[in-house]
Amino acid sequence: MSGGDEAGRLVRPFALTGGRTRPSRADFTLITTVTAVHPPPARVARPQPEYARILRLCARPLAVAELAAHLDLPVSVVVIMLCDLLEAGLITARPPRSVTGSADLDLDLLQKVRDGLGRI
């Protein structure tokens, strides 16, 4: 836990989401990559401290699961907060890339690696 968490969390997770228990969108999985928009849109009000922390952490691309671990919050709470930030235009979310198109190449590479390891 980080410094302020030793005495207990100052803001409870349900307060961070305004009591909401379900995300407003289905854009996020555990491995969705989230990045803060830079510079942030001028029309957006200054975010609350918890949202500002997410934006600082997402200065570089970060997976949802990793972000939840950094924040020490349940993934479900983080996803609801990310929905708010996405709708405000403060972050971008990139789903994981599909590997279905390159499955043959990956299998060929794996077979070559296996064959090479068999010679050692």
Side-chain angles (χ1 to χ4, degrees):
M1 290 192 164
S2 60
D5 290 342
E6 292 172 3
R9 194 178 305 279
L10 295 176
V11 179
R12 300 286 179 208
F14 67 85
L16 295 174
T17 64
R20 293 171 291 162
T21 59
R22 300 211 188 283
S24 58
R25 316 169 60 111
D27 295 276
F28 299 98
T29 66
L30 290 174
I31 57 175
T32 299
T33 305
V34 180
T35 309
V37 171
H38 186 75
R43 69 187 186 290
V44 177
R46 185 175 172 182
Q48 295 175 2
E50 296 81 10
Y51 288 87
R53 186 166 179 221
I54 290 173
L55 294 172
R56 280 192 306 276
L57 287 168
C58 292
R60 63 177 180 83
L62 203 59
V64 171
E66 189 176 1
L67 181 59
H70 283 295
L71 295 170
D72 193 28
L73 288 171
V75 171
S76 58
V77 171
V78 172
V79 166
I80 292 170
M81 295 172 72
L82 289 173
C83 287
D84 294 342
L85 291 170
L86 185 63
E87 290 168 0
L90 293 171
I91 62 169
T92 59
R94 189 171 37 170
R97 291 188 310 176
S98 173
V99 294
T100 55
S102 61
D104 294 333
L105 295 175
D106 292 343
L107 182 57
D108 185 46
L109 176 63
L110 289 173
Q111 288 173 343
K112 288 177 181 178
V113 170
R114 182 195 66 194
D115 295 343
L117 289 175
R119 288 184 233 152
I120 295 178

